Amino acid sequence: MASSPVRLSAHDLRAFGTDVLGSLGVPAGDAALVADSLMQADLWGHQSHGLLRLPWYAARLRSRAMRAVTDPAVLSDTGPLLLLDGRDGVGQVLTDRARRLASERARAHGVGVVGVRNSNHFGTAMYFTRRAAADGLVAVLTTNASPAMAPWGGREKRIGTNPWSIAAPGPDGRVVVVDIANTAVARGKIYLAQNRGEPIPETWALTAAGAPTTDPAEGVLGVILPMAGHKGYAISFLMDVLSGALTGSAVGTGVHGPYESDRPSGCGHLFLALDPAAFGDPAGYEQRVRQLVDEVKDVPLAQGFDEIFYPGEVEDRAETANLAAGGVLLADQSLAELRALADETGVHFPAGASR
C-alpha cells in the first residue's frame, strides 16, 4: 500500500539536517552545505537524492568511513588544473571546493579543471553545476559510484550509475542544466519506491538471477538497467574513466556506496568550468542560448503533451510550487527513518504542516 506523505517546511528540514550533521562532528558551515544540498534535491522533486540519504551519511560518519572534518590535500597544480586528495572527507564539501577552485581558474585561464580522489557521495550533481552557471560559467561535473549495473549483456554488477551534469548560463539570469545517471533510473529512486511501498517499472532493474522485476527490494539486490541499452553502459564506463581512473581514485568494484556504513567510498569526481567570455563573444553566447530556448519552447506539441520544457525548467517550477505549498512531501518510511535519526542524535524533528 502506498504511503501517506507529510508536508514539512524546507527551512525546518534544512535546520534539522544541519543540526544532525553538527551533532556528529561536521563543522557548522559544512553541515549547512550538506543539509542544503539534500533539501534542494527534495525541493526540485528529486527525493531519491534528498533527506532520504541523511541517515546513510550519519551511519558513515559514526563508523568514520567518512570523515566529519574535510581536509583535502593538493596533489597537483598546473594553473588551470588541480588535483585534490579528499582524504575521505564529505562529498558535498569536497565538490563545492572543486567548484570554487575550478571557477577561480576559469576566470584566470578561460578553463578550470579540478579532479578529486578519495571522496564520498555528493548528493545531486546539478546542485554544484547550477551554482557555477549562476556565476556565469559553463560547468561539467562527473562522478563514479559503486557498482549498480551489469556490463551490457551481463547480469552481475560491475559499473556504477556514474552520474554527470552540465549547466550553463541561460537568458534573463536563468540556468539551463541536465543531471542524469547512466542507468534507466538512479538507484535512489528504487530505494524511494521501496520507502513508499510502490512497485517499480520492469524496465528499471533485473533480479540477481537476471529477470525483469517490479519489486524494488529485488531491484536493489539485483542490477539496474542502463539507459538507452548499450549506450548507457558505454557512457557510464567512460565516466568511471574520467572520475576514477584519471583522478587516481577507485574504479568499478573498488567504489563503495553511501548506504555501506563502514567502507571508505573511494569515489572520484571531475569538475570542469569554462568562461564564456574567454571565447570572445559573451553577448553572442547569451543570444544563441536564448534562441535555443525560444525554439524548443515554440515547437508544435505532440499528442499527450501540454508544454515543452528546456532542461532544468521542471526543477525550477517544482521548487517554486513546493515553497508556495509550504514545504516538501516525504514518504512515511523516510519520515520514520529521519525520526529515528532524531532520537539517536537528540536533535528535534520538525512537525508536519499538513497531511
Side-chain angles (χ1 to χ4, degrees), residues 42-275:
D42 281 322
L43 286 171
W44 284 328
H46 299 304
Q47 291 197 349
S48 58
H49 287 66
L51 284 166
L52 172 150
R53 294 181 179 249
L54 186 61
W56 301 352
Y57 290 176
R60 291 180 58 75
L61 288 165
R62 287 196 196 95
S63 74
R64 299 188 180 179
M66 181 166 72
R67 294 175 181 264
V69 178
T70 302
D71 182 27
V74 177
L75 300 178
S76 176
D77 185 347
T78 70
L81 184 148
L82 292 93
L83 176 63
L84 303 178
D85 186 344
R87 302 201 283 198
D88 299 320
V90 178
Q92 282 91 334
V93 179
L94 289 166
T95 306
D96 203 54
R97 178 77 59 87
R99 174 191 66 83
R100 286 187 280 113
L101 288 168
S103 298
E104 290 171 6
R105 301 307 171 92
R107 296 296 187 199
H109 303 282
V111 60
V113 183
V114 178
V116 183
R117 69 171 61 161
N118 298 323
S119 184
N120 274 283
H121 186 269
F122 59 41
T124 305
M126 75 161 64
Y127 180 80
F128 306 97
T129 57
R130 275 178 172 265
R131 284 187 159 198
D135 288 337
L137 301 171
V138 175
V140 181
L141 173 59
T142 75
T143 188
N144 60 3
S146 59
M149 77 164 79
W152 185 244
R155 61 182 178 91
E156 289 186 358
K157 300 174 184 177
R158 291 292 187 272
I159 303 292
T161 58
N162 301 347
W164 50 277
S165 175
I166 302 174
D172 306 319
R174 290 173 286 173
V175 166
V176 290
V177 58
V178 64
D179 180 346
I180 60 173
N182 301 302
T183 40
V185 65
R187 179 164 31 196
K189 291 188 185 296
I190 298 181
Y191 280 104
L192 181 61
Q194 192 173 23
N195 278 7
R196 288 175 169 170
E198 297 173 349
I200 59 174
E202 64 176 14
T203 55
W204 282 12
L206 302 177
T207 67
T213 183
T214 59
D215 183 347
E218 289 280 1
V220 168
L221 294 173
V223 298
I224 305 176
L225 292 166
M227 67 168 185
H230 64 283
K231 298 176 184 178
Y233 153 63
I235 293 171
S236 203
F237 185 102
L238 268 297
M239 290 300 167
D240 212 340
V241 171
L242 290 176
S243 309
L246 188 61
T247 65
S249 210
V251 298
T253 58
V255 182
H256 297 279
Y259 42 81
E260 297 177 85
S261 63
D262 59 353
R263 302 290 298 273
S265 172
C267 72
H269 323 307
L270 191 72
F271 199 107
L272 167 68
L274 298 163
D275 186 355

Side-chain angles (χ1 to χ4, degrees), residues 5-55:
V6 173
R7 192 173 293 279
L8 294 162
S9 157
H11 176 272
D12 291 347
L13 285 173
R14 192 179 289 111
F16 169 72
T18 301
D19 290 345
V20 165
L21 293 166
S23 75
L24 296 169
V26 179
D30 293 351
L33 172 72
V34 176
D36 186 61
S37 74
L38 298 178
M39 189 68 258
Q40 194 62 57
D42 281 322
L43 286 171
W44 284 328
H46 299 304
Q47 291 197 349
S48 58
H49 287 66
L51 284 166
L52 172 150
R53 294 181 179 249
L54 186 61

Side-chain angles (χ1 to χ4, degrees), residues 253-328:
T253 58
V255 182
H256 297 279
Y259 42 81
E260 297 177 85
S261 63
D262 59 353
R263 302 290 298 273
S265 172
C267 72
H269 323 307
L270 191 72
F271 199 107
L272 167 68
L274 298 163
D275 186 355
F279 290 82
D281 186 18
Y285 162 82
E286 182 174 354
Q287 186 279 325
R288 289 185 288 273
V289 177
R290 183 185 299 276
Q291 176 186 338
L292 275 172
V293 169
D294 290 344
E295 286 183 355
V296 300
K297 295 289 286 183
D298 290 342
V299 74
L301 296 173
Q303 291 184 9
F305 290 85
D306 298 319
E307 187 178 0
I308 302 295
F309 300 97
Y310 61 80
E313 188 176 10
V314 169
E315 287 83 4
D316 288 338
R317 291 199 186 181
E319 178 179 8
T320 299
N322 278 320
L323 290 174
V328 297

